Amino acid sequence: MKFLIIFLFSFNIFASYPYFKFDEKKLKLNKDAHNRYIRPQLKNIKAEYYLIAKKLSPIHASIIKLRESALKFIFDYNAKFTECEQQQKEQAYCEVDVSSLLNSSYEVDKNIQTLRKESIHRDFLKDDNIAGYMSFTKHLDDVEVLNSQIQRYLELKKIVNSTVYTTYTPLFTDLSNTVIRFNIVINFVFIDLIPETLQDTFEALLIHFIAPLEERMINNYSPKWFILELGKLNLTWNTYHMNLEKGSKEFPEQYIKIVKLMHNRWNSILKLIF
């Protein structure tokens, strides 16, 4: 534990350098380092990002639950999509078991209804967040519509799988555009109830740092992608860190220590691989 604390807090090598040159061949990035240290630290950064959101807007506890259930569906769909593509190299139509996808979609629906009830019974409407609340309700409606479209297709797919009617249904891969839109709008729902003056800062980190790392380095291991995108990720992180710690008067001072902890975690990852 003492070693970990020293490792996290004893350096600030990259804090002032949004882009930096490096020899890719010298980076110490491997599967073992990813499993033992990099992935846990990225998960902690994400958890602390969620924690700040919940402190800024208590309803984010339910929004986070919805987003996580949506992510589970999206990542499961991506895995099934890859399986389907492999099948379609040898046959026109793929047959994948969609039961787990349906269950994930039903869980999303359950979390949408929970969030609706909570948003109705809480007093969110204030002079400074009316626009955000209206955007939130619209985007939540969009998520529900998209999830319903996904459910209808999956329920049909489950019925016709392994029957002659499979050839008369849309391809499984055709669902991808709906899933992509679903993924985009779920992030809008997350941002809408963040205080308006902080929305741009939180959205930039979610879209350009948290979300790609979730897909590529938390749910998977994509070292080539990580190395290629490291400069952009570092720029995005440093912008978020500087905006909240030194640039935003609206960000509550008591939460800056969480941002500093996140900053030290990110720098600890960089130190590990350089």
Side-chain angles (χ1 to χ4, degrees):
M1 178 63 71
K2 183 177 179 181
F3 171 77
L4 178 60
I5 293 173
I6 294 172
F7 195 55
L8 283 172
F9 289 94
S10 62
F11 60 90
N12 197 30
I13 302 174
F14 302 103
S16 302
Y17 301 94
Y19 280 97
F20 44 90
K21 295 181 180 180
F22 53 87
D23 185 348
E24 296 179 6
K25 295 179 181 179
K26 293 182 179 179
L27 293 186
K28 293 172 284 187
L29 179 60
N30 55 64
K31 186 85 171 173
D32 184 61
H34 173 255
N35 288 336
R36 292 167 62 89
Y37 192 82
I38 295 173
R39 176 185 279 153
Q41 290 292 59
L42 291 175
K43 290 174 73 173
N44 284 334
I45 290 172
K46 174 184 171 180
E48 286 149 359
Y49 175 80
Y50 276 171
L51 176 61
I52 294 173
K54 287 187 287 187
K55 288 181 176 295
L56 292 172
S57 171
I59 198 174
H60 268 78
S62 295
I63 293 175
I64 288 165
K65 190 173 181 180
L66 171 61
R67 184 174 185 271
E68 286 298 303
S69 64
L71 282 180
K72 183 180 186 306
F73 170 83
I74 291 163
F75 292 149
D76 287 350
Y77 174 79
N78 289 342
K80 296 291 186 183
F81 183 93
T82 301
E83 180 184 341
C84 187
E85 281 190 318
Q86 292 299 316
Q87 289 186 26
Q88 287 179 332
K89 290 179 180 179
E90 300 178 358
Q91 59 192 47
Y93 288 85
C94 66
E95 293 185 2
V96 292
D97 184 358
V98 298
S99 298
S100 62
L101 288 176
L102 262 176
N103 289 336
S104 294
S105 182
Y106 294 148
E107 184 66 20
V108 169
D109 196 46
K110 176 182 173 182
N111 288 328
I112 290 171
Q113 303 313 317
T114 299
L115 185 53
R116 283 196 187 283
K117 291 177 183 178
E118 187 173 352
S119 65
I120 291 171
H121 290 96
R122 282 177 176 259
D123 181 20
F124 289 109
L125 283 177
K126 299 176 183 178
D127 291 342
D128 61 350
N129 77 339
I130 291 175
Y133 185 79
M134 291 177 66
S135 294
F136 165 77
T137 55
K138 178 188 180 302
H139 289 141
L140 192 59
D141 287 344
D142 292 342
V143 168
E144 187 168 23
V145 169
L146 291 165
N147 192 47
S148 294
Q149 292 172 357
I150 290 168
Q151 279 182 19
R152 286 198 300 272
Y153 173 82
L154 293 176
E155 286 166 349
L156 176 63
K157 180 72 174 172
K158 187 175 181 180
I159 292 171
V160 302
N161 259 353
S162 302
T163 72
V164 295
Y165 300 105
T166 297
T167 57
Y168 299 102
T169 59
L171 295 174
F172 180 77
T173 50
D174 290 345
L175 192 60
S176 59
N177 287 337
T178 305
V179 174
I180 290 170
R181 176 65 180 162
F182 176 73
N183 190 18
I184 292 170
V185 180
I186 205 75
N187 287 332
F188 291 162
V189 170
F190 185 91
I191 294 299
D192 286 330
L193 292 179
I194 295 289
E196 186 176 1
T197 55
L198 298 172
Q199 282 185 7
D200 289 347
T201 297
F202 275 78
E203 183 175 17
L205 193 76
L206 180 63
I207 302 304
H208 302 296
F209 186 88
I210 299 292
L213 285 171
E214 284 174 327
E215 180 181 358
R216 300 282 192 157
M217 292 296 286
I218 294 177
N219 190 60
N220 289 296
Y221 174 56
S222 306
K224 291 182 180 179
W225 172 88
F226 187 65
I227 292 170
L228 183 64
E229 297 295 319
L230 195 54
K232 294 179 182 177
L233 291 168
N234 195 54
L235 173 61
T236 301
W237 170 255
N238 283 332
T239 301
Y240 174 83
H241 168 241
M242 294 299 290
N243 281 346
L244 294 187
E245 187 171 341
K246 299 180 180 179
S248 176
K249 295 180 181 179
E250 292 80 8
F251 186 67
E253 188 175 350
Q254 65 266 33
Y255 304 150
I256 289 178
K257 61 183 179 181
I258 304 175
V259 178
K260 288 181 178 180
L261 177 59
M262 296 165 71
H263 188 58
N264 287 324
R265 290 191 193 282
W266 175 245
N267 277 332
S268 74
I269 292 172
L270 297 181
K271 184 176 181 182
L272 180 70
I273 65 178
F274 276 85

